[in-house]
Structure formats: structure tokens, C-alpha cells
Amino acid sequence: MCVKIGKETLEMAKKKKQDPAEEQLLAVEETLSKTERYIEENQNTLFIIVAAIILVVGGFYGWQKFIVAPNEREASEEIVWAQMRFEADSFNLALNGDMNNLGLLDIADDYSSTKTGNLANYMAGIAYMKTGNYTEAIRYLDQYDLDDKMIAPIALGAIGDCFMEINQPEDALDYYVRASEKSTNAFTTPIYLKKAGQTAEMLEDYSSAIKYYNRIKNDYPDSQEAQQIEKFIARAEMMNK
């Protein structure tokens, strides 16, 4: 008996017999053809994007090599004289320089994009604080980019000290707390926790004072600030009743 097989049945049979690998290949070819069409249709836009990326990357490396690096070297040479005056406690000379040498203020301004210029901000702030100009000290210390684990908490704590000097204990407390949290370590953290506790007591915020003192007691028992900290805790607890 003869059986007729329709065209559609044959096509379905071919599809069923088709190797899965061939199907994947066809799918890849279809995707590639779509990508090629997209590139052809948008080649001008793609060229602009690629050129922009190259310019940005090349510009960044050029800026680093030909501008930042030479400025950094120059700034590090310029600050030597001012640093020596600073270490000798000649703060006015360190700040303003003389006829032949730049001071910290000029270095901070002229080399603001360098690490040395950033350091000059910190040193200028400390110099102003040492000479009693607390407002300017706050301004320069606040411009210091807090990227050093040891200097950063000291800079924040110094701002707190300046605010205490101009009778702004609320602001001082904020900076002492920030200083204690900026880079937790056994040296600076207990110092600023104790200052925070004492300032909180001054503000009659005894519960906060107890919290700061207890952190010294529990987390930094071997620190100098931990010595007799029980007396500070007892006093704050008594006042908190």
C-alpha cells in the first residue's frame, strides 16, 4: 500500500533530525548578522564613542604624567623650608614665607591638587591654632583631605579644640566624636573619646559622656586615658541621676 507524505510532514521530520549543534550555529550566525547590521547602521556614533574613550584615557594618563607628577615634585621641594620653620615653632614664617621661600599658605594655594598642597592645609591649620587664630585654623584644617589614617583624626580633633577655644562646645563635641571614629586605634581614639566625654559633661549630656567613657574602659583598657576612667564614669553617672 502506498502512503503519501505531505510537504509539511517532511519539513517537520527534517527539523527533528537536525543536529542541536547546527541549531546553535544558526543562532550564532543570526546574532552576528544582526550585530554586523547594527555596526553598519551606527558606525559613525560608535566611532565617536570609541574616540572619546581613547581621548579620556589618554588625557588622564597625560595629565598624571606631565602635570600632576611634576607639580608633586615641585611642591615637595618647595615645602621643605616652610616645614623646617614649622618644626622650629616659627609659625608666622612657616605660614607666610619670606622673600625667597614660599610659606604654607602659598603652597596650599599654588599646589592645591597635590598631596603636598593637601599637607600644607593641615600644617597651616595647626600653625594658625598655635598662634591663637582659631577661625583660620578651622578653615585650613577643614580643607585638609582626610586620607591619612594617623593625621586625619588629629586634624578633626584639632578642629574640635579650636571650637572649644571659641566657646562652641556643641561643634567641638561633633568633631571629637568624628575624630574618635575616623581611624580607630589605641592611640588617638581614646584621646578623643575622653575629650568627647568631658565636652558632653559640659553640655550636661551625661548619658553620652558615660557612653564615651565606657568605650575607653572596655575597648582601650591599656591606654593612658583608661587610667582613673572609673572616676569619670562615676561622676557622670551621679550627675545623670
Side-chain angles (χ1 to χ4, degrees):
M1 187 172 84
C2 184
V3 179
K4 290 185 179 181
I5 301 174
K7 185 177 180 182
E8 290 183 1
T9 306
L10 286 171
E11 288 295 327
M12 288 178 67
K14 286 180 181 178
K15 285 182 180 179
K16 285 180 181 177
K17 291 179 181 178
Q18 195 171 36
D19 190 357
E22 291 181 7
E23 291 181 1
Q24 282 188 325
L25 184 60
L26 288 172
V28 170
E29 288 177 352
E30 186 179 352
T31 302
L32 287 174
S33 63
K34 288 180 180 179
T35 303
E36 288 169 356
R37 285 199 302 274
Y38 177 82
I39 291 172
E40 287 177 3
E41 293 170 1
N42 299 275
Q43 59 183 345
N44 289 336
T45 303
L46 291 172
F47 175 77
I48 292 170
I49 292 171
V50 172
I53 292 171
I54 293 170
L55 283 173
V56 168
V57 173
F60 173 77
Y61 283 110
W63 179 72
Q64 287 285 331
K65 183 176 180 179
F66 298 110
I67 297 176
V68 173
N71 277 354
E72 194 68 69
R73 286 194 297 271
E74 189 175 319
S76 64
E77 292 170 2
E78 290 284 1
I79 203 173
V80 172
W81 183 89
Q83 197 164 14
M84 290 174 64
R85 304 287 85 74
F86 179 89
E87 291 170 357
D89 293 343
S90 299
F91 296 117
N92 285 319
L93 272 176
L95 283 165
N96 301 299
D98 62 13
M99 296 292 291
N100 300 311
N101 300 282
L102 292 179
L104 295 169
L105 302 183
D106 286 329
I107 294 169
D109 185 45
D110 295 348
Y111 301 98
S112 58
S113 63
T114 67
K115 294 179 180 179
T116 303
N118 185 40
L119 177 63
N121 279 318
Y122 167 76
M123 294 173 66
I126 297 297
Y128 272 128
M129 184 174 72
K130 295 289 187 180
T131 56
N133 192 337
Y134 301 112
T135 302
E136 285 299 293
I138 292 169
R139 185 164 78 89
Y140 276 90
L141 287 168
D142 196 47
Q143 290 181 48
Y144 171 68
D145 184 11
L146 305 172
D147 60 354
D148 186 280
K149 288 186 177 181
M150 288 306 296
I151 296 179
I154 294 172
L156 290 168
I159 295 175
D161 291 340
C162 290
F163 274 121
M164 285 296 288
E165 292 290 344
I166 60 176
N167 197 30
Q168 293 181 219
E170 293 89 351
D171 293 313
L173 176 58
D174 177 58
Y175 275 92
Y176 288 146
V177 173
R178 287 176 61 186
S180 73
E181 296 173 346
K182 181 61 181 178
S183 176
T184 53
N185 60 79
F187 174 60
T188 61
T189 302
I191 290 174
Y192 296 117
L193 282 173
K194 188 172 183 180
K195 288 191 175 190
Q198 290 172 314
T199 307
E201 281 195 82
M202 182 186 300
L203 295 168
E204 300 183 355
D205 184 1
Y206 299 109
S207 60
S208 292
I210 294 167
K211 178 180 69 174
Y212 301 137
Y213 293 146
N214 272 320
R215 276 197 61 197
I216 297 172
K217 175 186 174 182
N218 297 325
D219 297 344
Y220 305 97
D222 297 326
S223 67
Q224 184 178 345
E225 288 69 31
Q227 307 305 311
Q228 300 184 332
I229 198 66
E230 292 283 5
K231 292 182 179 179
F232 288 84
I233 295 172
R235 182 182 64 200
E237 286 178 340
M238 183 181 65
M239 296 300 295
N240 196 41
K241 290 180 180 178

